[in-house]
Amino acid sequence: MAQQGQAFANTQLLQLFPTCVWLHDLKPEDYEPLNRRIAPVIRDLVSDKKPSLAGLTWQTHHDLHHEEAFAELTTYARTAARGVLEHLQVDYSDFQITGCWANVNPQQTQHRAHTHPNNFLSGVYYVEVPDGRDGLVFHEPRAQALVISPKVKKLSALTGSEANIEVREGRLVLFPSWLQHSVATTRAEGERISVSFNFMLSDYTEEFSAPRWSNR
Ligand SMILES: [Fe+2]
């Protein structure tokens, strides 16, 4: 674009229909005590799953947002989701956390690509991360964009078919629930612990499902 600018009176780059992922890093003085407190609670919740599910991700039940131990984290998640809805200029009255569960990934485990249906936003908060390079992978949502995939000088978000987001302790990642994501095989020793959230707009059928146009 810079070189072309010499030949044209004006050039513009329009990034239409972008796919947003929102990163929120808690302050160390906030996430360090929080993570120290909830990590043993999560390990305790999955302790009965470890023997029978060797080599797989261990997950807790889906209602952690109703438990006192997760109240502080839930408040951070709600604050972040509110910011995203504001960024998107969604006109809503309220939203709810519809599910919250913890994941424990031992070494050499992965999580296949998936979406979180029937929700508007989803998120993951990282409690323990042995190696952040084994991150959260987002997949190109536009299937037609991969029909022609020329060789490129450097892969970037403009041309790649997936994006590996580096994760770290105290980081909360929010993304559209429809966006396919996966967890690459964890190489580092130790267990990676994360907490997942789903968010949905309240009163969806009453507020949003009716046609947005009018013929009157
Ligand atoms: Fe997920």
Side-chain angles (χ1 to χ4, degrees):
M1 290 291 282
Q3 289 169 346
Q4 290 175 4
Q6 296 169 5
F8 300 98
N10 181 39
T11 62
Q12 290 184 58
L13 174 64
L14 304 180
Q15 303 235 34
L16 302 177
F17 317 115
T19 304
C20 294
V21 172
W22 297 267
L23 306 183
H24 304 74
D25 292 329
L26 272 64
K27 299 169 190 164
E29 62 265 35
D30 293 329
Y31 76 73
E32 286 172 359
L34 169 66
N35 292 358
R36 271 198 301 273
R37 198 159 44 74
I38 62 177
V41 177
I42 293 169
R43 283 204 164 87
D44 192 44
L45 283 168
V46 301
S47 59
D48 61 329
K49 296 186 166 63
K50 291 188 177 184
S52 60
L53 296 174
L56 299 174
T57 302
W58 304 313
Q59 291 184 319
T60 66
H61 64 80
H62 297 142
D63 296 314
L64 295 184
H65 53 303
H66 294 310
E67 296 201 6
E68 182 56 35
F70 295 87
E72 185 183 352
L73 177 56
T74 299
T75 299
Y76 283 120
R78 287 188 62 86
T79 301
R82 206 174 293 120
V84 168
L85 293 169
E86 182 63 29
H87 180 220
L88 296 173
Q89 291 288 289
V90 177
D91 188 8
Y92 70 102
S93 54
D94 202 0
F95 68 91
Q96 294 172 33
I97 295 175
T98 59
C100 174
W101 63 96
N103 315 279
V104 180
N105 277 84
Q107 189 181 15
Q108 290 298 319
T109 54
Q110 55 176 290
H111 201 135
R112 62 178 171 74
H114 63 282
T115 61
H116 294 198
N118 300 324
N119 287 279
F120 185 68
L121 279 177
S122 294
V124 194
Y125 173 77
Y126 291 89
V127 181
E128 286 188 8
V129 181
D131 186 343
R133 291 173 302 169
D134 300 327
L136 180 58
V137 180
F138 290 102
H139 301 264
E140 163 67 88
R142 305 164 303 167
Q144 67 273 30
L146 301 175
V147 171
I148 304 287
S149 298
K151 188 173 75 173
V152 292
K153 295 171 187 163
K154 186 181 178 200
L155 270 178
S156 71
L158 295 172
T159 52
S161 61
E162 56 184 46
N164 184 0
I165 305 298
E166 185 166 334
V167 299
R168 62 179 71 154
E169 290 166 9
R171 172 165 284 180
L172 173 62
V173 184
L174 291 189
F175 52 92
S177 300
W178 52 259
L179 183 58
Q180 273 218 331
H181 55 284
S182 61
V183 179
T185 304
T186 50
R187 292 167 294 183
E189 279 183 38
E191 295 173 345
R192 177 161 68 170
I193 301 181
S194 61
V195 179
S196 298
F197 290 90
N198 276 337
F199 307 89
M200 187 55 183
L201 301 161
S202 307
D203 304 325
Y204 192 82
T205 54
E206 290 86 345
E207 287 193 31
F208 297 100
S209 294
R212 292 198 285 185
W213 45 267
S214 171
N215 262 347
R216 290 175 187 273

